[in-house]
Amino acid sequence: MSGDIKLFEDGMKEKYEKLRKEIEKHNNLYYNEDNPIISDMEYDKLIRELRDLEESNPDLKVEYEIKNSKVGSGSEKSENENVSPTEKIGGIASEKFSKVRHRVPMLSLSNTYNISEIEDFDKRVKKIIDVKKKIDYVLELKLDGLSISLIYENGVLKQGITRGDGQIGEDVTENIMEIESIPKKLKEPISLEVRGEVILPISEFGRINQEREDEGEDVFANPRNAAAGTIRQLDKSIVKERKLDCYLYYLVNAEEYGMKTHKESIEYIEKLGFKTTKIFELYNDFGKLEKAIDVWKTKREKLDYETDGLVIKVNEFEHYDELGYTTKSPRWAIAYKFPAEQVKTKLYDVTFQVGRTGVVTPVAELEAVNLSGSVVKRASLHNFDEIRRKEIKIGDNVIIEKAAEIIPQVVNVVFEDRKGDEKDIEVPTNCPICDSELVKEEGQVALKCLNPQCPEKVKREIAYFVSRDAMNITGLGEKIVEKFIELGKIKTVVDIYSLKNYAEELENLEKMGKKSVENLINSIEESKKQGFSKVLYALGIPFVGKFNANLLTKNYNSIELLKEKSIEDLLEIKGIGDKVAVAIHTYLNDENNWAKIVALKEIGLQFEAEKAEEEKIEDNPIKGKSFLATGKLEKYKRNDIKDIILAKGGNYLSGVTKKLDYLIAGEKAGSKLSKAEELGVRVLTEEEFEKEFLEK
Ligand code: IVH
């Protein structure tokens, strides 16, 4: 710039740069880190501000885009990199995954929080399209997850790609293969690309966060981040354990399949085996649409997944080209976003909660307020890093929000309301329950109470131990446990099995009649029949959820055998990662833990697996080995070969890793073959596989 001509008002350029940087920061936190720190509504406000600035000073954008245009480095590069945030989708494909260019760009939707803008949308559409032509609108839920594109060839799932920046996404095929509701094979051998949203059910979100809080890990802010964080991570056993779900809402190039309307295309993909965002009804005028939107505002609260709004789409494909596209979104659709339900209240104190594993969590004590129909008095602050990051003090006015209609969160402090007498939140040095000194374990953010007899820890440990997926003991409520801990009759989970000696005291407890005591004692006795995998889960070893407990007990059928194994041995189990291996090894080699196990074993709990199914499989060369087939096979269908391998006790992996023993390669085996060669994995032809493994 020569400086001769004054292009912008004073400070305007700085303001623009600052705002743009701020948005880029939030884009990165949301799309790449899966950890946003502002709400969608606040983000959309920033985008609107930037758009307004650009509209009144178009040169700002031009100058920025020229300044930022770089010469490509030769690798897969997106043309989006130097574009203003108002015109691009904020994600970047991570280096962790291979990058794939979308065949058809993955666009976003323009959105509004304002119903009158939906009316404007309707007017705009009707101005462009000939009045004589039929126009219907389709109303769909806007699911809040991670958008995904799925590619099928001849009816077989080949690839799953995240949106990334809309041009280039990440290849997350291995991970999406673990999502049950995504069909691996369609009902017809057809080739197509469909798009939709990977989501995490709210109930699963609650379970995972509880687990993470117990382990002292950062919790996910909402189900969207949990879903995105799960799909974009490398350990696919974690993907499998978290019950992700997927709903599809878009068939790419639908007209090529003879579809005339969006509704028709969704019904078609539903028939092929996909779960879809159901289309409620067709609306041909704004009034009816407005009413339906109103109904869904509350109706959606009953769903077990998060929706952040509704999408209104023109139904007839014949209008799409005429309506056109912006760089970021189609003009034939608009999203109506539900305003986040937020409210201001006073944080008058912070207390500390002790979890099952001893992790101490700060809790905000709030002046009671009504939020989305329920009274909120407390909110989790998760950990001290979060308090520091949000600069929360006692006495602050804070904005709270309900994430996924479940746990209230402190979104931010209202700094304008500060009077100066707010107090810093002191980090406790001792356990609020048993007063023992708190410890910060290496590499962790959480403070922990290590006293195995801390009454609060024991109480939570027991609640977990008796839960349905663990020992399934019914009738041992919190009140009884509390009472018995207080009386000194329960010190660890082992003491549950001595409760039968205190039948009389139990009967005298509030609301405990003879019959319920009898039922409780029966249930305790009955729990001794729970299998090894449930018992292992019930111990509450960090990271050993249902799935991992199952995997461990399938591979080593007694607790003694498991204890003997080194971390390296445990890592040999397909699906067991570093964290789990270290946790299980450390737990079983701790003296106190082992003493507890020995005591439970003496009582009669099952620490040995009944002969697992796999054990019954006769010895054969496939048993215990891992395989993967790739390329075009002559004699077998991919799934048939998989079934043979599984039936003979082998493992079938979805990708080439060091853990793969054999790759069965057909014609055009491609990248999997080169990766196998690189890693020294043995490659077999179909014939070699038959000779070596089936004919012996
Ligand atoms: S249609 C070309 N329909 O919301 C238009 N998107 O904010 C493709 N989303 O990128 C999108 N539910 O990730 C569509 N029923 C729905 C949706 C939906 C959720 C997501 C999707 C999109 C984002 C835009």
Side-chain angles (χ1 to χ4, degrees):
M1 288 283 134
S2 66
D4 291 337
I5 313 161
K6 196 171 165 197
L7 268 178
F8 311 115
E9 264 175 52
D10 283 344
M12 179 66 79
K13 217 164 101 183
E14 289 71 25
K15 189 173 168 192
Y16 177 76
E17 291 277 318
K18 195 168 161 225
L19 188 55
R20 189 188 48 72
K21 274 205 190 109
E22 173 84 6
I23 293 175
E24 297 279 11
K25 179 181 98 182
H26 292 301
N27 272 348
N28 185 46
L29 284 166
Y30 181 92
Y31 289 106
N32 306 323
E33 305 276 319
D34 301 318
N35 183 25
I37 55 170
I38 58 170
S39 69
D40 279 14
M41 207 147 81
E42 286 169 283
Y43 175 82
D44 291 332
K45 217 173 106 199
L46 295 177
I47 286 280
R48 261 176 202 235
E49 253 176 65
L50 194 73
R51 186 172 298 132
D52 288 348
L53 271 182
E54 286 177 351
E55 271 167 17
S56 45
N57 307 274
D59 289 335
L60 276 173
K61 201 168 82 179
V62 174
E63 190 179 291
Y64 162 68
E65 290 176 1
I66 293 170
K67 201 168 86 192
N68 284 278
S69 58
K70 294 179 214 139
V71 183
S73 68
S75 66
E76 193 66 291
K77 257 203 174 313
S78 168
E79 48 273 27
N80 258 347
E81 278 178 48
N82 60 333
V83 172
S84 158
T86 53
E87 288 189 26
K88 70 174 175 187
I89 299 157
I92 313 172
S94 149
E95 298 295 334
K96 283 196 294 192
F97 298 94
S98 37
K99 296 178 186 182
V100 187
R101 181 173 289 277
H102 292 293
R103 298 175 192 176
V104 174
M106 257 180 110
L107 296 181
S108 183
L109 292 167
S110 63
N111 63 47
T112 178
Y113 290 87
N114 201 331
I115 199 85
S116 72
E117 287 186 13
I118 304 289
E119 195 173 6
D120 294 344
F121 166 79
D122 171 50
K123 283 187 191 140
R124 212 164 41 236
V125 167
K126 288 180 177 153
K127 210 167 131 190
I128 297 173
I129 307 298
D130 184 348
V131 278
K132 283 181 240 115
K133 288 191 176 156
K134 182 174 161 62
I135 304 174
D136 277 331
Y137 295 115
V138 164
L139 187 63
E140 282 175 11
L141 287 168
K142 184 170 178 330
L143 303 180
D144 201 10
L146 176 82
S147 36
I148 193 94
S149 201
L150 304 174
I151 296 173
Y152 289 78
E153 279 170 27
N154 300 320
V156 178
L157 176 58
K158 287 282 166 183
Q159 205 172 31
I161 316 169
T162 64
R163 185 169 61 184
D165 67 357
Q167 309 275 350
I168 293 169
E170 298 142 319
D171 184 334
V172 289
T173 312
E174 288 202 11
N175 285 349
I176 56 126
M177 287 288 180
E178 304 295 341
I179 300 176
E180 229 174 87
S181 64
I182 294 183
K184 313 297 173 291
K185 205 169 163 193
L186 302 179
K187 302 230 168 85
E188 279 176 39
I190 195 158
S191 298
L192 50 77
E193 181 165 358
V194 278
R195 291 177 177 171
E197 207 81 354
V198 171
I199 55 126
L200 187 77
I202 294 174
S203 47
E204 257 301 280
F205 168 71
R207 182 192 70 76
I208 293 167
N209 261 358
Q210 186 59 58
E211 205 171 279
R212 290 173 77 88
E213 203 157 292
D214 287 345
E215 311 305 356
E217 290 188 89
D218 280 351
V219 292
F220 291 116
N222 54 47
R224 191 213 91 89
N225 299 124
T230 305
I231 280 295
R232 300 173 72 239
Q233 62 118 359
L234 297 173
D235 186 348
K236 64 178 194 291
S237 77
I238 296 183
V239 184
K240 190 164 189 156
E241 173 139 354
R242 295 178 189 164
K243 302 260 173 296
L244 291 170
D245 208 345
C246 184
Y247 291 84
L248 286 305
Y249 44 66
Y250 187 63
L251 170 62
V252 178
N253 293 332
E255 280 170 290
E256 287 176 11
Y257 302 86
M259 304 290 131
K260 294 222 167 347
T261 64
H262 179 63
K263 182 171 192 279
E264 217 184 307
S265 71
I266 295 299
E267 283 162 358
Y268 174 58
I269 62 170
E270 201 161 39
K271 275 203 200 107
L272 289 175
F274 294 102
K275 279 190 170 181
T276 63
T277 42
K278 292 266 183 301
I279 288 176
F280 308 123
E281 256 175 85
L282 296 179
Y283 302 91
N284 56 11
D285 85 85
F286 172 73
K288 286 183 196 146
L289 189 60
E290 191 183 7
K291 268 194 205 115
I293 291 174
D294 212 45
V295 169
W296 276 97
K297 254 191 215 169
T298 45
K299 214 167 163 181
R300 56 134 189 173
E301 282 169 18
K302 298 207 173 70
L303 303 168
D304 189 30
Y305 45 83
E306 237 203 4
T307 52
D308 58 343
L310 295 163
V311 186
I312 296 114
K313 294 176 181 169
V314 171
N315 192 31
E316 297 81 10
F317 291 140
E318 63 168 320
H319 305 320
Y320 282 23
D321 281 346
E322 215 170 324
L323 289 164
Y325 298 81
T326 70
T327 44
K328 217 172 162 176
S329 50
R331 288 207 179 85
W332 42 259
I334 188 165
Y336 169 74
K337 292 189 62 172
F338 301 124
E341 288 177 81
Q342 295 190 333
V343 59
K344 182 159 107 173
T345 186
K346 187 173 176 151
L347 183 155
Y348 66 85
D349 199 6
V350 170
T351 54
F352 303 96
Q353 221 170 43
V354 183
R356 173 171 62 84
T357 54
V359 170
V360 175
T361 315
V363 177
E365 303 290 340
L366 307 165
E367 267 174 18
V369 270
N370 206 312
L371 181 62
S372 332
S374 57
V375 177
V376 175
K377 291 183 189 155
R378 312 178 88 200
S380 172
L381 292 169
H382 307 308
N383 56 49
F384 292 94
D385 278 7
E386 173 118 343
I387 294 179
R388 235 167 279 134
R389 196 160 52 78
K390 292 186 173 159
E391 299 176 41
I392 302 169
K393 292 186 177 200
I394 294 174
D396 267 334
N397 275 342
V398 290
I399 300 294
I400 61 164
E401 182 181 299
K402 264 195 179 179
E405 328 304 329
I406 24 178
I407 325 160
Q409 311 269 340
V410 173
V411 181
N412 57 271
V413 168
V414 186
F415 290 106
E416 308 85 274
D417 288 359
R418 281 232 168 124
K419 294 192 191 73
D421 59 354
E422 296 77 12
K423 285 195 222 87
D424 283 337
I425 298 162
E426 303 265 337
V427 180
T429 52
N430 292 66
C431 172
I433 308 292
C434 70
D435 205 37
S436 57
E437 210 172 306
L438 298 177
V439 178
K440 196 167 186 164
E441 288 181 337
E442 224 188 288
Q444 299 216 339
V445 283
L447 280 173
K448 255 183 165 179
C449 164
L450 297 181
N451 173 12
Q453 281 172 15
C454 171
E456 189 64 21
K457 266 171 75 174
V458 175
K459 196 172 97 186
R460 287 176 187 258
E461 224 175 281
I462 289 175
Y464 185 83
F465 186 84
V466 303
S467 64
R468 206 175 59 196
D469 290 328
M471 302 310 288
N472 193 20
I473 296 172
T474 48
L476 194 58
E478 202 178 303
K479 282 261 150 57
I480 310 173
V481 175
E482 254 172 30
K483 193 80 201 162
F484 274 73
I485 291 176
E486 205 182 297
L487 295 171
K489 296 204 161 100
I490 290 185
K491 289 200 179 73
T492 76
V493 290
V494 179
D495 301 323
I496 294 174
Y497 293 91
S498 311
L499 280 178
K500 56 181 178 223
N501 304 330
Y502 308 113
E504 211 172 293
E505 270 131 308
L506 276 167
E507 276 168 34
N508 291 335
L509 276 178
E510 239 181 309
K511 287 194 204 140
M512 285 288 280
K514 216 179 176 74
K515 189 75 201 154
S516 39
V517 172
E518 217 175 276
N519 287 344
L520 170 61
I521 290 171
N522 281 341
S523 180
I524 292 173
E525 285 308 300
E526 195 63 16
S527 77
K528 293 181 184 168
K529 294 186 191 149
Q530 292 290 85
F532 181 28
S533 158
K534 302 242 164 152
V535 177
L536 188 65
Y537 168 77
L539 293 177
I541 303 169
F543 310 111
V544 181
K546 271 185 286 180
F547 175 79
N548 284 336
N550 218 338
L551 210 55
L552 289 163
T553 54
K554 263 201 176 137
N555 280 274
Y556 298 114
N557 67 353
S558 77
I559 196 86
E560 286 79 11
L561 210 55
L562 258 179
K563 183 177 186 250
E564 266 171 30
K565 297 294 159 193
S566 65
I567 293 172
E568 288 71 32
D569 289 338
L570 295 167
L571 281 170
E572 288 289 304
I573 304 177
K574 320 258 165 0
I576 294 291
D578 289 348
K579 265 195 204 169
V580 186
V582 171
I584 186 119
H585 184 77
T586 315
Y587 183 93
L588 294 179
N589 286 285
D590 173 283
E591 229 176 278
N592 287 330
N593 293 337
W594 190 250
K596 183 161 84 183
I597 290 170
V598 170
L600 288 170
K601 196 172 172 190
E602 268 166 21
I603 289 165
L605 268 61
Q606 311 289 323
F607 281 97
E608 229 167 85
E610 285 178 26
K611 285 268 170 265
E613 280 303 301
E614 272 170 275
E615 299 296 319
K616 288 184 207 139
I617 298 169
E618 276 175 30
D619 275 343
N620 71 73
I622 290 183
K623 193 171 151 187
K625 294 277 187 290
S626 64
F627 296 83
L628 173 66
T630 187
K632 195 165 175 288
L633 301 180
E634 291 293 319
K635 300 191 179 171
Y636 301 91
K637 281 196 188 133
R638 204 73 71 70
N639 266 346
D640 295 344
I641 220 163
K642 179 175 169 182
D643 289 346
I644 295 174
I645 290 165
L646 295 179
K648 288 185 172 289
N651 289 307
Y652 192 85
L653 307 190
S654 57
V656 180
T657 66
K658 274 191 283 188
K659 291 183 183 177
L660 182 67
D661 296 317
Y662 300 98
L663 181 76
I664 306 165
E667 249 182 79
K668 294 192 187 143
S671 66
K672 289 209 173 82
L673 177 59
S674 33
K675 189 151 181 215
E677 285 166 348
E678 205 179 291
L679 295 176
V681 172
R682 241 196 95 192
V683 180
L684 303 170
T685 61
E686 275 173 271
E687 289 72 30
E688 284 169 335
F689 169 70
E690 282 183 333
K691 262 213 187 105
E692 212 168 303
F693 292 94
L694 301 180
E695 290 164 13
K696 278 197 177 163

